[in-house]
Amino acid sequence: MLLRAAYLLAIAQAAILGIDYGHQWTKAGLVKPGIPMEMVITMASRRKEQSVIGFKKNERSYGEDAIALSGRFPQETFPELKLLLGQRRDSQAVKDYLARFPAVKLAPGTDNNVVAFERFKTTALVEELVANQIANMVYNARIMAGEEIDGVVLTVPPFFTERQRGALIEAARLANVKVMSLISDGVAVAIDYAKARHFDEPQIHVVFDSGAGSTSATVVKFETKLVKDFGRFKKNVTSIEVLGTAFDKTLGGQAMTDVLFEHFATEFDSTEQKQLEREMRKNPRALSRLLRESNKIKQVLSANTEATLSVESLHENVDFRRKISRVQFEELTQGMAPRVSAVLKNAFAAASIDASNITSLILHGGATRVPFVQRALLDVVSEEQLSRNVNADESATIGAVFRGAGLSGRFKVKDVRVQDRSIFPVEGAFTHDGQGNFEELFPNGTPFESALNLTLPSSLTNNLQYTVRYGAYPALPIASDDVEGKARHIGEFDIIGMQDAISSLKKEYACSPAAFVSAKLDSSGMVKLDDPFVWCEVDDSTTKDKTEDSGVAGKLKGWFGGDSSSEDGDTKQKVAKKPVTTGKTKPQKMRIEKQALLVYEKPGPGARLNETFFDAAFARIQKLDQMDDDRIQGETARNELESYIYQTRETLNKESWLSAAKPEEAERLRVAAKEAAEWLVNEGDDAKIAAFKEHRKKLVDLSMVVDMRTMEHDVRDDMVSQLEKLFDVSQRFVNDMKANATKYQAEKAAWDAGKPERQAARAAAREERKRARLAEAAARAEKAQAEAELDGLDDEDAAAKASATPAQVADDAAAVEEDEIEEDFDDEADAPVPPAFKSEDELDELDDLLTETQTWLTKAQKKQASMKRSDEVHLTTRSIMDAQGKLEKLFTEMRGKYVYYQPPKPKAKPAKGKSNAKSKSKDKASKAQTSASSPTETPVEGEKEDPQVEIEKEDL
């Protein structure tokens, strides 16, 4: 249970990631419990990373590191892979990519649906290369979050087909990442725009996204609605509805870079060709460097009126330097401006609106910073409508991570409800060998998360095949020679077990079954077939007896007095009721019987990676991960050895270390360090991790003996000083405690000697007080006698009046007793107070250990002083620590006894006055009088009175 609770807690605290995998740049946003949404920082401490992966043999590099390798290893560097996702091997996109990067070679293969490139002694699928980049971004996020990533939301262009979306999901699956949803770029920007805004009335905006690879315009309607919440409560939600979308798949920053690249390549060929042995365009390294510099020039011209391209030794050691102005750049790209405005106009047409209906045009993407792009947009909308209030680089990323936070249900975020729409029509058919009558399933503009129930046809076979493909649409990437329509293919679904389910229902209920399946367009824009079943309508009365008698209902009915049989086999007689004729026929009660079927999505041509390709790609990624781990460990082991060699060389030059080392020890270490350095230079590049550790261990073992000896000499004086401080404290404690004990013994002896004298003095004082009381009694009697004579009493009555009463006699006795008790208490209270240690013998254990330790230290120091620094240590730190610990333990115990000692308290002194004694004496006198009048209550001699009676008397 504890493990499960810990697992659930870890899941509840897991982070969510939003990734904007772009044509040229990749950005990621992170949200985790307790931390707001923020951008993931790359290893280069940047907020975005170039979408490039490069290899140096089996070592992977990403971003800027991969770009740096492209000049040396262009055949191992793979940029701009996004538009190759989901493409066929013979597609135009693949041909354009190979023309753009001639050093990259397709891997030989017979499967035309898989795009794979040659790599160092192996191949790499496009999905596999993208998976490595996604995994790298997730790794950066995991380091930043300090915990695992629970799910990812990925952005995609709105024109991505099912195959392209599926390929991106396959790449994430290869990276071992759970995809929560796909979201189009325009919708992600719209979410970021709406997350902190309230719309009092519906507003229509256009998200114009022009990145490196493509351009799109998404018309969205924002509206804040009051909807029902749980119970009687209501809440505000923000609704985002896509009204229309338009795009240009090849218009973007990269197309502008290509124009500059062609311009500079032509300039170089025209001016330098005469002195060159071969054309520059046949040099992959030169092309890669020129393309990289052309992209930088484009960025400079976005903010400046002119820029200078300078490439040293571009081709055959020829330097190339050219200046270009913004005017020239716009002349080269003049054909792109109409395409920019066309995208916006097409979006208006798709949404059936015009520019006057929109509130603003939200700009996103790096290409929107290019001046001629903004001018082209102003030909369609006004300057006031042009909005730059979102981050042009990061808005889609933040929108994606916000969407993920909402989908996870673990974050309290604003309720934003999205309704995206499909761009391409989808059709499907029950097929056999790919042939069938295709009908439209989801027309263009169908909202995501729509569903449609399909009736399955009667078939003699147990399994059915349903094929889904795109319908005819001008923007679909369909080659003219694609006779079989493979480019339009989405997927195939096998529906299994239909005939078995139909036969079962017919046999059991004698009905006419029908079969259905649900076709869905999910939130990622993917077509799914789900929940297939066979059903039929059954007369409930014909099967009621069967089901009740055999089922749980029948048993319950029997327990509570129903008509079913009892457990002993007896049956109750049913009472027939007389039917009532109403003139109406009672309606027949029907119910539905269902049996579920299985549906299996086959990979199909180009839609998904089949199991063979997926497993092989996953194994290659795992192997590279292991190689990375081994390489990191190897580099760490190498660095540790190299560092220790330098440290050893410095140690051999330290006088303090050499003085503690014997000559042969220093020489062995010097030889071992030299051998390790030579081995590292000659064999270190291909050495195993164990070899690095073995050489380092040898050096450590040789130097450790002297290092420990040096350490002993360095810390000995401090440790001895600490021990001597303990000696001083312990000795002062022993001396003080012994002085206290001696003083106490002397005072106690003097007190005991004076005890007889004190007792005699107390007895004399007591006799004096007694005489005074006798004199007081005689005076009292004399006074009473005189009063009797005055009253004229006879001699007998006068004598009775003059005599003391029983109460007076009791008071006199109590006074005597009180004097004696008070005298004894005063004598004890004035006695000397015993200390914690009453005699010196109690301190002998600490005193002896202190003397013993001091003697040992003196001898050990004397012997150590007579030895050389390189000799084996006699007075070790361990022996000092042991002696100190033993003495400190006993000292702490003795000191604790002194600190927490409580001297014995003297007996409580009785309260002064004779009230208690008088009351007791009065009680005794009263009892004596009562006894005289009641002889039957007189106790037997020797019999003790009930103690409870005494207690009650004292209480009174």
Side-chain angles (χ1 to χ4, degrees):
M1 289 297 292
L2 290 176
L3 289 175
R4 187 182 177 203
Y7 172 76
L8 293 176
L9 180 62
I11 290 297
Q13 294 180 344
I16 301 297
L17 195 64
I19 298 180
D20 180 15
Y21 180 68
H23 183 77
Q24 196 171 55
W25 294 95
T26 299
K27 283 94 56 179
L30 174 72
V31 62
K32 60 174 287 187
I35 295 180
M37 289 173 284
E38 56 185 343
M39 298 298 291
V40 174
I41 305 302
T42 68
M43 290 298 181
S45 300
R46 301 188 62 179
R47 296 168 69 89
K48 61 181 180 180
E49 189 164 68
Q50 288 184 276
S51 303
V52 186
I53 180 172
F55 295 86
K56 182 181 178 182
K57 293 184 178 180
N58 287 316
E59 181 179 350
R60 293 173 292 188
S61 299
Y62 303 95
E64 294 179 357
D65 294 337
I67 291 294
L69 286 175
S70 63
R72 297 168 53 198
F73 307 101
Q75 74 282 1
E76 294 281 323
T77 305
F78 305 95
E80 305 173 17
L81 294 169
K82 181 176 182 178
L83 295 182
L84 295 183
L85 287 167
Q87 298 292 342
R88 288 165 51 85
R89 186 185 181 91
D90 58 354
S91 66
Q92 187 61 41
V94 174
K95 295 175 183 177
D96 293 342
Y97 187 87
L98 295 177
R100 182 177 175 80
F101 303 104
V104 177
K105 304 296 182 185
L106 278 176
T110 57
D111 193 337
N112 197 37
N113 297 300
V114 177
V115 179
F117 297 111
E118 290 183 352
R119 211 182 63 70
F120 177 72
K121 297 182 180 179
T122 184
T123 60
L125 302 177
V126 170
E127 292 84 353
E128 178 183 346
L129 296 173
V130 174
N132 282 286
Q133 297 179 62
I134 293 175
N136 176 62
M137 192 59 70
V138 171
Y139 174 77
N140 295 337
R142 189 164 60 244
I143 292 177
M144 185 173 173
E147 59 189 48
E148 292 299 319
I149 304 300
D150 184 44
V152 173
V153 174
L154 296 166
T155 65
V156 293
F159 56 81
F160 254 28
T161 63
E162 175 97 5
R163 290 173 54 180
Q164 291 171 300
R165 294 169 188 259
L168 184 59
I169 293 176
E170 288 292 275
R173 196 158 69 97
L174 283 171
N176 204 21
V177 175
K178 183 182 74 174
V179 177
M180 302 173 68
S181 177
L182 301 181
I183 184 172
S184 67
D185 297 323
V187 172
V189 175
I191 291 176
D192 180 44
Y193 180 84
K195 72 179 188 300
R197 288 177 169 83
H198 182 85
F199 303 96
D200 295 327
E201 57 183 21
Q203 296 180 9
I204 297 177
H205 298 254
V206 178
V207 178
F208 188 84
D209 181 20
S210 185
S214 61
T215 298
S216 66
T218 305
V219 183
V220 293
K221 183 174 76 171
F222 297 103
E223 186 176 2
T224 299
K225 300 178 180 179
L226 189 64
V227 300
K228 185 178 180 181
D229 200 3
F230 63 91
R232 295 177 297 172
F233 298 96
K234 294 184 178 181
K235 65 176 181 178
N236 285 320
V237 300
T238 298
S239 169
I240 301 177
E241 181 183 359
V242 176
L243 302 180
T245 305
F247 54 86
D248 189 327
K249 294 187 294 183
T250 59
L251 176 63
Q254 193 59 59
M256 303 173 195
T257 301
D258 291 343
V259 170
L260 288 173
F261 170 78
E262 288 295 332
H263 170 71
F264 289 129
T266 303
E267 284 282 317
F268 185 86
D269 289 340
S270 62
T271 57
E272 308 293 343
Q273 187 60 42
K274 295 181 181 179
Q275 56 179 328
L276 301 177
E277 295 181 0
R278 63 170 182 163
E279 295 180 9
M280 186 269 292
R281 293 179 183 272
K282 295 182 179 179
N283 184 347
R285 294 185 180 181
L287 293 176
S288 178
R289 295 179 62 195
L290 184 60
L291 184 62
R292 187 167 66 248
E293 295 301 322
S294 298
N295 187 57
K296 293 180 181 178
I297 292 297
K298 180 199 68 178
Q299 296 172 0
V300 173
L301 290 175
S302 296
N304 300 276
T305 56
E306 64 178 21
T308 301
L309 177 104
S310 180
V311 186
E312 295 183 1
S313 187
L314 176 60
H315 176 57
E316 294 184 4
N317 296 323
V318 176
D319 299 337
F320 183 57
R321 183 181 178 86
R322 284 292 184 276
K323 183 179 289 188
I324 186 172
S325 65
R326 183 188 291 175
V327 175
Q328 290 176 282
F329 172 60
E330 292 180 354
E331 289 176 354
L332 293 171
T333 57
Q334 61 181 349
M336 296 184 183
R339 295 169 62 185
V340 172
S341 57
V343 173
L344 187 55
K345 293 176 182 178
N346 292 337
F348 288 157
S352 300
I353 63 171
D354 56 32
S356 62
N357 299 124
I358 70 169
T359 303
S360 72
L361 180 69
I362 304 169
L363 300 182
H364 183 262
T368 58
R369 299 188 182 97
V370 179
F372 83 80
V373 173
Q374 296 188 12
R375 287 199 302 271
L377 294 174
L378 290 175
D379 292 339
V380 184
V381 298
S382 64
E383 178 67 35
E384 293 75 16
Q385 291 175 312
L386 213 59
S387 174
R388 302 178 180 86
N389 50 14
V390 300
N391 189 313
D393 284 332
E394 301 175 357
S395 182
T397 309
I398 297 300
V401 72
F402 189 91
R403 175 71 167 166
L407 291 174
S408 70
R410 297 196 297 270
F411 300 89
K412 189 176 181 180
V413 295
K414 182 179 180 180
D415 193 347
V416 178
R417 301 183 181 182
V418 177
Q419 186 181 80
D420 201 351
R421 296 180 184 276
S422 64
I423 295 179
F424 308 125
V426 177
E427 58 186 23
F430 294 99
T431 58
H432 179 69
D433 294 334
Q435 302 299 318
N437 184 21
F438 284 89
E439 296 180 351
E440 188 174 61
L441 284 177
F442 303 111
N444 176 28
T446 300
F448 286 1
E449 299 187 72
S450 297
L452 180 67
N453 286 330
L454 303 176
T455 302
L456 301 180
S458 300
S459 175
L460 297 178
T461 61
N462 200 37
N463 301 334
L464 281 178
Q465 185 180 82
Y466 192 78
T467 302
V468 182
R469 72 182 187 185
Y470 285 114
Y473 193 76
L476 278 170
I478 302 174
S480 59
D481 58 346
D482 185 22
V483 179
E484 299 179 358
K486 292 181 179 179
R488 297 166 55 189
H489 183 86
I490 292 178
E492 295 177 351
F493 301 86
D494 283 342
I495 302 170
I496 303 171
M498 188 178 73
Q499 282 300 322
D500 291 343
I502 290 175
S503 300
S504 175
L505 289 176
K506 284 183 177 180
K507 181 179 179 180
E508 186 170 358
Y509 302 107
C511 60
S512 300
F516 289 92
V517 68
S518 177
K520 297 179 181 180
L521 189 65
D522 67 12
S523 61
S524 298
M526 309 283 287
V527 179
K528 305 291 183 185
L529 253 64
D530 194 17
D531 193 25
F533 63 91
V534 175
W535 72 281
C536 67
E537 201 172 30
V538 181
D539 184 357
D540 195 29
S541 60
T542 60
T543 58
K544 184 175 181 180
D545 293 339
K546 294 181 181 180
T547 56
E548 286 188 355
D549 291 345
S550 60
V552 176
K555 294 178 181 179
L556 291 175
K557 194 172 181 181
W559 291 343
F560 293 100
D563 294 335
S564 59
S565 301
S566 61
E567 293 182 358
D568 58 0
D570 297 335
T571 60
K572 295 184 179 180
Q573 184 177 2
K574 296 183 181 179
V575 179
K577 294 183 179 180
K578 184 177 181 180
V580 179
T581 305
T582 61
K584 295 182 180 180
T585 304
K586 186 177 180 180
Q588 189 177 18
K589 189 175 180 180
M590 307 297 291
R591 62 185 177 85
I592 302 298
E593 284 291 333
K594 295 173 58 175
Q595 284 197 14
L597 305 178
L598 297 177
V599 60
Y600 169 68
E601 183 177 1
K602 297 195 299 185
R608 304 286 187 276
L609 290 176
N610 62 39
E611 187 175 348
T612 303
F613 283 109
F614 183 90
D615 291 345
F618 188 78
R620 287 193 294 267
I621 292 176
Q622 294 295 310
K623 184 178 180 181
L624 289 173
D625 289 342
Q626 186 60 50
M627 288 182 175
D628 283 347
D629 293 341
D630 293 343
R631 186 180 67 257
I632 292 173
Q633 293 180 17
E635 290 174 354
T636 302
R638 180 191 178 102
N639 293 337
E640 288 177 350
L641 174 59
E642 189 172 8
S643 175
Y644 202 82
I645 291 174
Y646 288 126
Q647 179 182 337
T648 302
R649 290 173 177 172
E650 293 177 1
T651 300
L652 289 169
N653 293 324
K654 291 181 180 179
E655 184 61 33
S656 60
W657 190 90
L658 290 174
S659 63
K662 299 176 182 178
E664 60 273 16
E665 292 174 337
E667 183 60 25
R668 283 198 298 267
L669 182 61
R670 186 177 289 107
V671 171
K674 182 179 179 181
E675 291 176 351
E678 292 176 351
W679 175 86
L680 191 62
V681 172
N682 298 328
E683 305 178 28
D685 292 341
D686 299 323
K688 301 291 184 182
I689 298 175
F692 291 114
K693 292 183 177 181
E694 183 180 352
H695 279 81
R696 185 178 183 277
K697 183 178 183 302
K698 182 178 180 180
L699 294 177
V700 170
D701 291 343
L702 289 174
S703 62
M704 184 59 69
V705 177
V706 183
D707 291 342
M708 293 299 296
R709 198 179 299 150
T710 304
M711 185 272 294
E712 291 279 353
H713 294 310
D714 291 342
V715 304
R716 183 186 301 114
D717 292 342
D718 290 339
M719 298 193 68
V720 169
S721 176
Q722 293 179 10
L723 182 58
E724 289 176 343
K725 288 181 181 179
L726 182 60
F727 288 165
D728 181 59
V729 173
S730 302
Q731 189 65 62
R732 283 192 283 111
F733 176 78
V734 170
N735 294 340
D736 290 346
M737 295 300 103
K738 284 186 176 181
N740 291 342
T742 302
K743 180 181 178 181
Y744 169 72
Q745 293 296 335
E747 291 177 350
K748 189 174 185 304
W751 177 262
D752 292 342
K755 188 172 184 179
E757 183 179 351
R758 291 193 303 278
Q759 289 177 344
R762 286 198 299 274
R766 189 164 50 252
E767 288 297 328
E768 182 65 26
R769 288 194 296 275
K770 185 176 181 181
R771 283 194 297 271
R773 281 193 293 273
L774 292 175
E776 182 182 354
R780 198 167 49 241
E782 184 178 351
K783 181 179 179 181
Q785 182 67 33
E787 291 176 350
E789 291 177 356
L790 291 175
D791 293 338
L793 299 176
D794 56 16
D795 294 340
E796 184 178 355
D797 293 336
K801 185 175 181 180
S803 63
T805 64
Q808 291 173 338
V809 174
D811 287 345
D812 292 340
V816 173
E817 182 181 358
E818 185 176 326
D819 286 345
E820 293 176 352
I821 293 173
E822 187 171 352
E823 289 169 1
D824 293 340
F825 174 81
D826 291 340
D827 186 62
E828 184 177 344
D830 294 337
V833 179
F837 302 97
K838 300 179 182 63
S839 66
E840 296 183 1
D841 296 342
E842 297 180 36
L843 296 161
D844 286 346
E845 183 180 5
L846 179 59
D847 197 9
D848 293 345
L849 180 60
L850 178 61
T851 303
E852 178 186 343
T853 307
Q854 289 174 326
T855 303
W856 166 81
L857 180 62
T858 302
K859 292 181 179 180
Q861 284 180 304
K862 184 176 181 180
K863 184 173 181 179
Q864 183 64 51
S866 65
M867 300 172 63
K868 294 181 179 179
R869 188 176 172 87
S870 59
D871 291 339
E872 296 300 327
V873 179
H874 174 68
L875 181 57
T876 63
T877 56
R878 171 53 62 186
S879 61
I880 297 174
M881 290 172 62
D882 291 343
Q884 181 176 347
K886 186 176 180 180
L887 178 60
E888 196 170 32
K889 180 181 179 182
L890 182 58
F891 168 72
T892 303
E893 292 176 357
M894 303 287 277
R895 187 173 180 277
K897 183 178 180 180
Y898 166 73
V899 170
Y900 298 106
Y901 171 71
Q902 296 290 339
K905 295 181 180 180
K907 295 180 181 179
K909 186 176 181 180
K912 290 185 177 181
K914 303 177 181 180
S915 57
N916 293 336
K918 288 180 180 179
S919 62
K920 290 182 180 181
S921 62
K922 289 180 180 179
D923 290 341
K924 291 180 180 179
S926 174
K927 183 177 180 181
Q929 293 175 359
T930 305
S931 301
S933 61
S934 304
T936 57
E937 297 181 3
T938 303
V940 182
E941 185 178 357
E943 181 180 353
K944 292 184 178 180
E945 192 174 359
D946 186 359
Q948 181 64 31
V949 175
E950 280 294 323
I951 293 174
E952 292 176 356
K953 291 178 180 179
E954 290 177 5
D955 290 342
L956 291 173

Short mmCIF file of all heavy atoms in Angstrom, two decimals, residues 925-948:
data_model
loop_
_atom_site.label_atom_id
_atom_site.label_comp_id
_atom_site.label_asym_id
_atom_site.label_seq_id
_atom_site.Cartn_x
_atom_site.Cartn_y
_atom_site.Cartn_z
N ALA A 925 -10.07 14.83 76.35
CA ALA A 925 -10.80 15.13 77.61
C ALA A 925 -12.28 14.86 77.45
O ALA A 925 -12.94 14.30 78.33
CB ALA A 925 -10.55 16.59 78.01
N SER A 926 -12.82 15.27 76.27
CA SER A 926 -14.24 15.04 76.02
C SER A 926 -14.56 13.55 76.00
O SER A 926 -15.56 13.10 76.52
CB SER A 926 -14.63 15.69 74.70
OG SER A 926 -15.94 15.37 74.37
N LYS A 927 -13.62 12.80 75.42
CA LYS A 927 -13.82 11.35 75.34
C LYS A 927 -13.80 10.73 76.74
O LYS A 927 -14.55 9.81 77.06
CB LYS A 927 -12.75 10.75 74.45
CG LYS A 927 -12.92 9.25 74.25
CD LYS A 927 -11.87 8.73 73.30
CE LYS A 927 -12.05 7.23 73.09
NZ LYS A 927 -11.03 6.69 72.18
N ALA A 928 -12.93 11.29 77.58
CA ALA A 928 -12.84 10.76 78.95
C ALA A 928 -14.14 10.99 79.72
O ALA A 928 -14.64 10.12 80.44
CB ALA A 928 -11.67 11.38 79.69
N GLN A 929 -14.70 12.21 79.53
CA GLN A 929 -15.95 12.50 80.21
C GLN A 929 -17.08 11.61 79.70
O GLN A 929 -17.91 11.12 80.44
CB GLN A 929 -16.33 13.97 80.01
CG GLN A 929 -15.37 14.92 80.71
CD GLN A 929 -15.69 16.38 80.41
OE1 GLN A 929 -16.62 16.66 79.67
NE2 GLN A 929 -14.94 17.28 81.04
N THR A 930 -17.11 11.40 78.35
CA THR A 930 -18.16 10.56 77.77
C THR A 930 -18.03 9.13 78.26
O THR A 930 -19.01 8.43 78.52
CB THR A 930 -18.08 10.60 76.24
OG1 THR A 930 -18.13 11.94 75.79
CG2 THR A 930 -19.21 9.80 75.61
N SER A 931 -16.83 8.67 78.42
CA SER A 931 -16.61 7.30 78.89
C SER A 931 -17.13 7.12 80.31
O SER A 931 -17.66 6.07 80.68
CB SER A 931 -15.11 6.95 78.82
OG SER A 931 -14.67 7.09 77.50
N ALA A 932 -16.95 8.17 81.10
CA ALA A 932 -17.42 8.05 82.49
C ALA A 932 -18.93 7.91 82.55
O ALA A 932 -19.48 7.21 83.40
CB ALA A 932 -16.97 9.27 83.30
N SER A 933 -19.64 8.60 81.63
CA SER A 933 -21.09 8.52 81.65
C SER A 933 -21.63 7.32 80.92
O SER A 933 -22.74 6.91 81.15
CB SER A 933 -21.69 9.80 81.03
OG SER A 933 -21.26 9.92 79.69
N SER A 934 -20.85 6.71 80.03
CA SER A 934 -21.29 5.53 79.24
C SER A 934 -20.27 4.43 79.38
O SER A 934 -19.38 4.28 78.54
CB SER A 934 -21.46 5.90 77.77
OG SER A 934 -22.37 6.99 77.64
N PRO A 935 -20.38 3.63 80.43
CA PRO A 935 -19.37 2.58 80.68
C PRO A 935 -19.41 1.49 79.63
O PRO A 935 -18.43 0.80 79.42
CB PRO A 935 -19.76 2.06 82.07
CG PRO A 935 -21.18 2.45 82.26
CD PRO A 935 -21.40 3.71 81.50
N THR A 936 -20.53 1.31 78.90
CA THR A 936 -20.60 0.23 77.92
C THR A 936 -19.72 0.48 76.72
O THR A 936 -19.37 -0.45 76.00
CB THR A 936 -22.04 0.04 77.43
OG1 THR A 936 -22.52 1.27 76.90
CG2 THR A 936 -22.94 -0.39 78.58
N GLU A 937 -19.33 1.76 76.44
CA GLU A 937 -18.52 2.10 75.28
C GLU A 937 -17.04 2.14 75.59
O GLU A 937 -16.24 2.47 74.75
CB GLU A 937 -18.94 3.46 74.72
CG GLU A 937 -20.37 3.47 74.21
CD GLU A 937 -20.74 4.82 73.66
OE1 GLU A 937 -19.85 5.70 73.63
OE2 GLU A 937 -21.89 4.98 73.25
N THR A 938 -16.68 1.83 76.85
CA THR A 938 -15.26 1.88 77.22
C THR A 938 -14.53 0.76 76.52
O THR A 938 -14.91 -0.40 76.62
CB THR A 938 -15.11 1.74 78.75
OG1 THR A 938 -15.88 2.77 79.38
CG2 THR A 938 -13.66 1.81 79.15
N PRO A 939 -13.44 1.04 75.76
CA PRO A 939 -12.73 -0.01 75.05
C PRO A 939 -12.02 -0.95 75.99
O PRO A 939 -11.64 -0.57 77.10
CB PRO A 939 -11.73 0.77 74.19
CG PRO A 939 -11.54 2.06 74.88
CD PRO A 939 -12.84 2.38 75.55
N VAL A 940 -11.86 -2.16 75.55
CA VAL A 940 -11.15 -3.15 76.33
C VAL A 940 -9.70 -2.76 76.42
O VAL A 940 -9.12 -2.22 75.47
CB VAL A 940 -11.31 -4.55 75.71
CG1 VAL A 940 -10.60 -5.60 76.56
CG2 VAL A 940 -12.78 -4.88 75.56
N GLU A 941 -9.06 -3.03 77.50
CA GLU A 941 -7.65 -2.68 77.68
C GLU A 941 -6.79 -3.39 76.64
O GLU A 941 -6.93 -4.58 76.43
CB GLU A 941 -7.23 -3.07 79.10
CG GLU A 941 -5.81 -2.64 79.41
CD GLU A 941 -5.41 -2.99 80.83
OE1 GLU A 941 -6.26 -3.51 81.56
OE2 GLU A 941 -4.26 -2.74 81.18
N GLY A 942 -5.95 -2.66 76.08
CA GLY A 942 -5.07 -3.22 75.03
C GLY A 942 -5.67 -3.17 73.66
O GLY A 942 -4.99 -3.44 72.67
N GLU A 943 -6.97 -2.84 73.52
CA GLU A 943 -7.61 -2.79 72.20
C GLU A 943 -7.37 -1.42 71.57
O GLU A 943 -7.52 -0.40 72.22
CB GLU A 943 -9.12 -3.04 72.36
CG GLU A 943 -9.85 -3.01 71.04
CD GLU A 943 -11.33 -3.26 71.22
OE1 GLU A 943 -11.73 -3.58 72.34
OE2 GLU A 943 -12.07 -3.11 70.22
N LYS A 944 -6.93 -1.40 70.26
CA LYS A 944 -6.65 -0.15 69.54
C LYS A 944 -7.93 0.42 68.97
O LYS A 944 -8.81 -0.31 68.55
CB LYS A 944 -5.66 -0.39 68.39
CG LYS A 944 -4.28 -0.75 68.87
CD LYS A 944 -3.34 -0.89 67.72
CE LYS A 944 -1.93 -1.21 68.20
NZ LYS A 944 -0.98 -1.34 67.08
N GLU A 945 -7.99 1.75 68.96
CA GLU A 945 -9.16 2.43 68.41
C GLU A 945 -9.14 2.33 66.88
O GLU A 945 -8.09 2.23 66.25
CB GLU A 945 -9.13 3.89 68.85
CG GLU A 945 -10.43 4.62 68.58
CD GLU A 945 -10.40 6.00 69.17
OE1 GLU A 945 -9.39 6.35 69.78
OE2 GLU A 945 -11.39 6.72 68.99
N ASP A 946 -10.32 2.36 66.30
CA ASP A 946 -10.46 2.30 64.83
C ASP A 946 -9.70 3.46 64.19
O ASP A 946 -9.93 4.62 64.55
CB ASP A 946 -11.94 2.37 64.47
CG ASP A 946 -12.17 2.17 62.99
OD1 ASP A 946 -11.17 1.99 62.26
OD2 ASP A 946 -13.35 2.21 62.58
N PRO A 947 -8.74 3.19 63.28
CA PRO A 947 -7.96 4.29 62.66
C PRO A 947 -8.84 5.26 61.89
O PRO A 947 -8.51 6.43 61.79
CB PRO A 947 -6.99 3.56 61.74
CG PRO A 947 -7.56 2.21 61.54
CD PRO A 947 -8.33 1.89 62.78
N GLN A 948 -9.97 4.81 61.37
CA GLN A 948 -10.84 5.72 60.61
C GLN A 948 -11.42 6.79 61.53
O GLN A 948 -11.60 7.93 61.15
CB GLN A 948 -11.96 4.92 59.94
CG GLN A 948 -12.90 5.77 59.11
CD GLN A 948 -12.17 6.40 57.93
OE1 GLN A 948 -11.24 5.80 57.43
NE2 GLN A 948 -12.59 7.61 57.56
#
